[in-house]
Amino acid sequence: MIERKGLKIKVLCYLDHYSGRDAEIIMPIIYFIERYLNCSIEYAHLYDIYAIYRKKPDIVLTTNTIGSPFHRKIAKYAYDQNIKVFALFSEGNFRTDKSINYWGYNHYKKFFQEYVCCWSKRTADFLIDNHPKDKNKIVVTGASGFDRYSIFKFLPKKEFLCKYNKQDYKHVISYFGWSFGRLEHKRMRTSLLRSYHNDLSRLDFLAKERDLIEGILKTAIINHPEILFVLKRHPQEIYGADLKEPRNEINRLKDFENVLYLNQNEDIYEIINASDLILGYESTTAMESWILNKSKPTIFITPHDPLHRSKIYTGCLIARSYEKLRENLDEFYSTDSISAFNETELNENRRSVLSRSIGYDDGLNHIRTSFYFKKVCDSIDNDYKENKRRIFNFEYFIQYIALKIGKLVYNRNLFSRLPKFKKTVWVFEGSKFENFFMLKEKYKPFFDEFYKENNIDKKYRENTLFKELICKD
């Protein structure tokens, strides 16, 4: 371990769950700053905003400041106490045509964080153009959550299938869901409608697409009993504490013998690694597949052009009907490839999409991000530590007390059945950080090997690491 000399930096890291997308986004950064930057890290669930007051950290670390009211409140509360906020983007591949509200739940429309860590130059340039006063804090780091595809080792197909008692299947195809379930969730439907400027015809279009996709998948499942279809629900399809699952394009297919329906926080990289090819509607999972295995075909099932089409589709094959999908599957399972997917144009499109979407696909985005985290650490001195404010917030205090008491009596089966308590299940389940520590231990050997292969220790010691990654950009 190579430690940065100087003051010990107290970091309070906020998570909404001990596993899943946000945990994977922040994990590699935690590994780096603990190893090199003399940081002591404590963890808190999003619900425990009062931890900022109790622990008085030097830096609050969070995956974003816009993804929920909790993220916004955490950033604002820390900022008001003169505590530095370091935030990432959970969804940093956003459209730059002003068709979406990139502020999310941050109705203050203010950057509370020290740096705005953009996934790509495209999004950074957009934010600088729209917020020129903040241009010095808007930086390009790449998407740290995608680094795992270059660093981690994954279960072989056979082990993955054994995990789910599906070892008799030789062929595996995965479909990663779009969040069609929002159409039948009252709060999410309202939000979705608002994003389409209250145009109900847009929701009708999505409902028809959902039905058509379900029909295409159903036909494929019935006609190919020798293939295991892994259907993965979109992780953001259920809001917070909701336990009841709304209808989407895949959950009515879960009872077929050759279907494995996954609706929890399963590691998507294990699914991708075990699959022969990847299906989706509009899914960033296609990019993750390209990083993990550039030759693995990705196919978007889009009966009609989506309302907001991302550039990801330019690197994928498109199937508008079951007949086209069957044609692709037949070619793949007879030749072990799909010629159209390997054409020069699609290969170039995939390289361009990765650059425009996540910045880099070399596994080093978390180190680029950590460069800016180090700059925040370097700005901390004794004066800063002494000048932090302590602002008591009664609402956050009551939430903390409720969390403490609730943990003593929490029972998932009981709480999930009680109307006033089922909304807290996500809090108690997500705050099991002992599972996060187990995840860290599992991943540590992968990081160690990757760092050794890339001479990270030597480059950091010789002060060339950041020069190679940052200065060249």
Side-chain angles (χ1 to χ4, degrees):
M1 179 183 292
I2 302 173
E3 286 198 350
R4 167 186 175 274
K5 295 180 180 179
L7 294 171
K8 194 77 171 178
I9 305 298
K10 293 171 58 179
V11 180
L12 179 60
C13 176
Y14 273 97
L15 291 169
D16 66 343
H17 201 274
Y18 59 80
S19 65
R21 181 193 64 177
D22 282 8
E24 301 287 357
I25 286 171
I26 218 159
M27 180 78 73
I29 294 162
I30 287 171
Y31 178 85
F32 186 93
I33 66 177
E34 282 189 322
R35 179 164 178 155
Y36 296 106
L37 301 186
N38 199 26
C39 291
S40 172
I41 303 179
E42 292 187 83
Y43 299 89
H45 190 271
L46 293 184
Y47 194 79
D48 185 14
I49 306 173
Y50 189 68
I52 298 172
Y53 181 86
R54 299 196 317 275
K55 299 178 182 295
K56 203 178 181 183
D58 299 315
I59 302 174
V60 166
L61 173 61
T62 178
T63 52
N64 68 81
T65 63
I66 63 175
S68 74
F70 293 100
H71 289 96
R72 178 196 69 232
K73 291 176 181 179
I74 287 166
K76 179 70 162 54
Y77 192 43
Y79 180 86
D80 288 344
Q81 295 185 75
N82 282 344
I83 294 173
K84 297 180 185 295
V85 177
F86 194 90
L88 311 174
F89 264 110
S90 293
E91 294 283 0
N93 183 29
F94 57 87
R95 295 188 297 274
T96 53
D97 58 2
K98 296 188 178 181
S99 63
I100 65 165
N101 173 22
Y102 56 85
W103 286 109
Y105 284 91
N106 181 358
H107 57 70
Y108 298 103
K109 296 187 177 181
K110 176 180 176 66
F111 296 121
F112 296 111
Q113 62 266 52
E114 297 296 302
Y115 290 98
V116 182
C117 298
C118 298
W119 285 12
S120 66
K121 185 176 184 300
R122 172 183 62 85
T123 53
D125 288 347
F126 170 78
L127 291 180
I128 289 171
D129 287 344
N130 285 274
H131 307 280
K133 292 182 180 179
D134 292 306
K135 66 179 181 180
N136 291 331
K137 65 163 55 179
I138 299 172
V139 297
V140 179
T141 62
S144 62
F146 287 81
D147 286 355
R148 61 189 183 272
Y149 294 100
S150 302
I151 299 174
F152 296 172
K153 302 294 186 288
F154 308 108
L155 286 177
K157 179 192 286 188
K158 185 174 290 187
E159 290 186 32
F160 175 85
L161 294 176
C162 286
K163 178 180 176 182
Y164 294 100
N165 197 30
K166 296 290 186 179
Q167 58 271 20
D168 292 337
Y169 288 93
K170 181 180 178 182
H171 304 310
V172 180
I173 293 176
S174 294
Y175 174 89
F176 289 87
W178 198 76
S179 50
F180 283 103
R182 291 183 294 173
L183 291 169
E184 297 193 1
H185 184 288
K186 184 177 180 180
R187 187 180 303 180
M188 287 186 171
R189 182 181 175 87
T190 300
S191 176
L192 189 63
L193 182 60
R194 191 181 303 119
S195 71
Y196 291 127
H197 308 291
N198 295 315
D199 185 351
L200 279 170
S201 68
R202 301 295 185 93
L203 301 194
D204 292 338
F205 171 83
L206 289 174
K208 291 175 182 176
E209 289 292 278
R210 176 198 61 198
D211 295 346
L212 289 169
I213 293 167
E214 181 187 271
I216 292 171
L217 288 171
K218 182 177 181 179
T219 304
I221 290 165
I222 292 172
N223 289 349
H224 296 276
E226 77 285 1
I227 298 175
L228 176 68
F229 288 82
V230 180
L231 308 181
K232 176 68 171 69
R233 188 192 73 193
H234 192 282
Q236 301 302 310
E237 199 167 59
I238 288 183
Y239 182 85
D242 293 338
L243 297 176
K244 184 178 180 181
E245 183 175 287
R247 181 196 166 192
N248 53 37
E249 76 274 42
I250 53 178
N251 53 13
R252 298 205 305 186
L253 307 174
K254 62 184 177 183
D255 293 329
F256 283 95
E257 180 65 28
N258 60 326
V259 165
L260 173 61
Y261 179 69
L262 301 176
N263 62 352
Q264 300 299 325
N265 287 310
E266 285 83 358
D267 296 326
I268 62 171
Y269 44 78
E270 301 286 12
I271 303 172
I272 295 171
N273 190 59
S275 301
D276 304 324
L277 49 82
I278 305 300
L279 307 178
Y281 175 62
E282 280 277 291
S283 176
T284 57
T285 305
M287 294 192 299
E288 297 171 70
S289 178
W290 301 341
I291 300 171
L292 184 61
N293 187 335
K294 289 180 171 57
S295 63
K296 184 172 294 188
T298 52
I299 305 172
F300 278 175
I301 301 175
T302 55
H304 303 94
D305 286 340
L307 296 172
H308 292 301
R309 169 139 266 182
S310 72
K311 290 292 184 180
I312 299 174
Y313 85 94
T314 64
C316 297
L317 299 173
I318 304 298
R320 297 197 184 278
S321 64
Y322 166 70
E323 287 70 29
K324 184 60 180 178
L325 178 61
R326 183 190 61 190
E327 179 184 317
N328 288 326
L329 299 188
D330 289 347
E331 181 180 354
F332 179 81
Y333 284 115
S334 61
T335 67
D336 204 32
S337 69
I338 304 176
S339 58
F341 185 75
N342 298 317
E343 290 178 355
T344 300
E345 182 180 356
L346 260 68
N347 279 319
E348 291 178 352
N349 287 347
R350 288 192 284 274
R351 284 192 289 271
S352 174
V353 166
L354 287 174
S355 176
R356 287 174 52 81
S357 301
I358 66 170
Y360 313 88
D361 61 347
D362 55 7
L364 300 170
N365 290 327
H366 70 286
I367 298 180
R368 295 182 178 91
T369 307
S370 297
F371 167 77
Y372 294 101
F373 193 93
K374 181 178 183 297
K375 293 186 74 170
V376 178
C377 291
D378 290 344
S379 71
I380 292 174
D381 53 23
N382 284 318
D383 287 341
Y384 164 75
K385 285 176 173 283
E386 292 171 2
N387 287 328
K388 286 182 289 188
R389 300 173 185 155
R390 285 176 65 82
I391 301 175
F392 180 81
N393 184 293
F394 186 72
E395 175 190 350
Y396 301 158
F397 173 71
I398 293 300
Q399 286 181 192
Y400 166 64
I401 296 299
L403 182 61
K404 292 285 285 184
I405 295 173
K407 282 184 176 181
L408 297 176
V409 298
Y410 174 69
N411 179 283
R412 181 183 173 88
N413 290 331
L414 176 62
F415 275 43
S416 63
R417 289 177 169 83
L418 299 175
K420 290 188 177 181
F421 289 88
K422 66 180 181 181
K423 293 183 178 181
T424 65
V425 169
W426 74 282
V427 177
F428 296 113
E429 290 297 313
S431 57
K432 296 177 180 178
F433 290 120
E434 63 273 13
N435 294 334
F436 181 78
F437 304 141
M438 291 171 60
L439 205 61
K440 280 180 63 182
E441 287 302 308
K442 173 186 173 182
Y443 292 157
K444 185 178 182 300
F446 303 151
F447 283 110
D448 289 343
E449 183 177 345
F450 181 79
Y451 277 37
K452 183 177 180 180
E453 290 174 352
N454 290 273
N455 295 315
I456 301 300
D457 282 1
K458 182 175 183 288
K459 291 176 181 178
Y460 185 82
R461 189 166 49 242
E462 295 176 352
N463 200 31
T464 61
L465 177 62
F466 294 134
K467 291 179 181 178
E468 288 183 10
L469 297 179
I470 305 297
C471 295
K472 71 177 182 179
D473 298 325

